[in-house]
Structure formats: structure tokens, C-alpha cells
Amino acid sequence: MGKLIDLASSTSLEARSARTIPRDYFERERIHEGQPTEMPHLQELENRFIALEQRLIRTGMTAGYVKINLLPSKQLKIPLDAIVEPDNAGFIARTTDIPLYGYGDDPIEAIDALKCEIESLYNDLMEDDQFTEDWLRIKGFLRERIIE
Amino acid sequence: MKNASFNTHDVKKCCENKLNIEFRSGKEFNGWYYHRNKKAARITVSKGRKPIHPKTYKTMAKQLKLTVEQFDDLLECPLEKQGYDKILGSILMPAFN
């Protein structure tokens, strides 16, 4: 995989160089567990996506990571991490903790598709407990994060 | 990787016919594979007959807990349900295989 772009940062992507995920990244998330997540303004998010898209096109095969805070009809107490990468003519967005993906012609479409996938999986998992151990773990993981 | 040989419709049909996966229609098609009466793998397939790009193909394989080569075999024919069950069994419950 190429370099990772910190899309979660609110400052200009142009101003900062691409960087890797810090070692304590997942620890930091645990510290914030239970606290409400600050929702970035929609316009700000859109600007970040556009900046990411432009950068991906300009720099070629790089990847960006995003934090998913909102689902189509649910909210996340703790954001989910996702990676967005070019995939031939389009883009693929994948969650880092769950085997889910969304594909789209641009990063926004890919992330939107991924959000639908997360919600769809959550609904599937809440139906019953007839799952293998790894899916039951994912069920617990999502239950901790999603606000109905 | 033989992603260029198959489109999303081929993957869906193969999953239905060989693995008995029943897809639900939402924004995309989603289907669960049952292993020993438990939902063990969930695959997402785009609607229509769209080409599958390399990273998407690899992610689909991963959703079925297969390597790209095993996924190629599944789509091309050599890998049948029995073989898939064996692979899944060795991943999920290595002690019992």
C-alpha cells in the first residue's frame, strides 16, 4: 500500500505531508470511548473529500484514511476507521476492522457505499446470534460503537 | 488474479449456485455463507454486470476468507462447495480438522 493521508485532520491536506498511522492510534480511540464524538460540519467534510480526491488523482497510487462518524440512519459513538484507495477507474473504501467495502466512481461515493454496508451488516448481526465466533466479536464491536 | 474474466453477475451466480448463498437486495447484494449451521462469511456484490477491479476482487475473496487464487478457482470451477467447506473449516476450527 502507498502512503497514508490523514484525512481526519481539519487542516489543509496541502500543508501537511503524508504520514503513517501512529503506533498508539487504536489506544487513543479507547481513551475516548463513551464520550460523544464531535461531528465535523458537512461542508468541511465535503471539502476534505474533494481535497483527498484531488490529491489521489495528482499523486497516483496513494491511500487515504477516514473516520466514519455517521451512517445513513445511525450515528457512531466511536468512529470507525476506513481506508480509501483508487481501484482502476474508481475508488474502494474499506473498513480496517471489519471485512466490508464500498465501491464508487469517486471517494465520496465509495465512502457512502461503505456506510450503507456497515449499517446493513449491523442490521444483519442484530437479527440473531447464529454466527461464528469472529462475527459475534464483530457484533460486539459494532454494538459498542453504534447508537440506535 | 483473474478479475478481468468475471463481472459482478458471474460472482453472484457462482456464489448462489456453488455455495448456496442467498442474496438480499439492498443498495448492493449481500449474502451469508452458512458453515455448520452458522453464518460464517458475508459477501457483498454490486448490482448489474459491472467489471471487478483488482482491489475489489481481492476484498471479495477476503470476505469469503479465501486467497485470490482460491477465489479464482471458485469462479473458474475447480473449487466446489465441499472444498470451500474444508478451507473454511481449517480457518474457523483448526482443532476439528
Side-chain angles (χ1 to χ4, degrees):
Chain A
M1 185 188 299
K3 290 184 290 184
L4 288 168
I5 297 167
D6 179 12
L7 187 68
S9 166
S10 59
T11 55
S12 164
L13 280 167
E14 295 298 318
R16 56 178 53 238
S17 57
R19 65 182 197 192
T20 53
I21 298 172
R23 278 165 188 244
D24 66 338
Y25 182 75
F26 297 103
E27 289 301 320
R28 285 184 210 172
E29 189 168 274
R30 282 191 205 107
I31 294 165
H32 296 295
E33 201 169 334
Q35 294 174 12
T37 307
E38 194 181 322
M39 297 295 170
H41 191 273
L42 193 66
Q43 184 61 49
E44 189 191 323
L45 272 179
E46 204 170 308
N47 290 340
R48 285 192 222 164
F49 286 134
I50 292 165
L52 170 70
E53 187 178 13
Q54 286 168 351
R55 190 177 172 113
L56 285 171
I57 291 164
R58 201 173 50 249
T59 56
M61 297 301 286
T62 53
Y65 72 92
V66 290
K67 282 193 173 290
I68 294 176
N69 290 295
L70 282 170
L71 300 177
S73 66
K74 291 176 175 62
Q75 283 188 18
L76 286 155
K77 191 162 55 178
I78 304 165
L80 285 172
D81 296 308
I83 292 171
V84 189
E85 295 174 281
D87 192 12
N88 270 20
F91 288 84
I92 183 169
R94 293 180 287 115
T95 37
T96 56
D97 303 298
I98 313 166
L100 291 178
Y101 75 92
Y103 185 84
D105 292 335
D106 56 60
I108 299 172
E109 208 178 292
I111 292 165
D112 282 346
L114 178 63
K115 286 178 178 181
C116 290
E117 278 304 300
I118 297 167
E119 196 162 299
S120 160
L121 171 66
Y122 178 75
N123 292 334
D124 279 6
L125 292 172
M126 291 306 135
E127 278 181 6
D128 54 52
D129 283 326
Q130 204 184 345
F131 299 97
T132 51
E133 283 303 312
D134 52 347
W135 284 107
L136 288 174
R137 273 196 297 275
I138 290 171
K139 182 176 179 169
F141 174 84
L142 283 179
R143 196 183 258 157
E144 278 176 14
R145 283 160 175 77
I146 292 177
I147 305 165
E148 284 282 354
Chain B
M1 187 185 294
K2 294 173 181 168
N3 63 298
S5 310
F6 307 102
N7 62 35
T8 52
H9 181 74
D10 298 326
V11 174
K12 182 175 176 274
K13 283 288 150 201
C14 175
C15 289
E16 286 172 337
N17 297 335
K18 290 178 89 173
L19 304 180
N20 302 328
I21 292 178
E22 286 179 21
F23 284 92
R24 271 192 211 175
S25 180
K27 199 166 183 280
E28 313 278 14
F29 287 119
N30 292 116
W32 286 96
Y33 179 75
Y34 282 77
H35 180 73
R36 296 179 182 173
N37 296 322
K38 285 186 175 180
K39 285 171 250 185
R42 183 183 191 269
I43 184 166
T44 302
V45 185
S46 292
K47 290 184 172 177
R49 292 170 189 268
K50 293 174 191 160
I52 309 169
H53 301 303
K55 282 171 190 160
T56 307
Y57 190 80
K58 196 177 168 185
T59 309
M60 281 177 167
K62 212 170 166 184
Q63 286 188 322
L64 289 177
K65 303 179 196 292
L66 293 175
T67 64
V68 168
E69 292 73 25
Q70 288 168 334
F71 193 47
D72 286 340
D73 285 349
L74 179 76
L75 295 174
E76 275 197 315
C77 271
L79 183 63
E80 295 292 336
K81 189 178 184 300
Q82 203 178 1
Y84 179 62
D85 270 331
K86 208 171 172 183
I87 292 167
L88 214 57
S90 66
I91 294 168
L92 298 172
M93 299 171 80
F96 293 93
N97 287 280

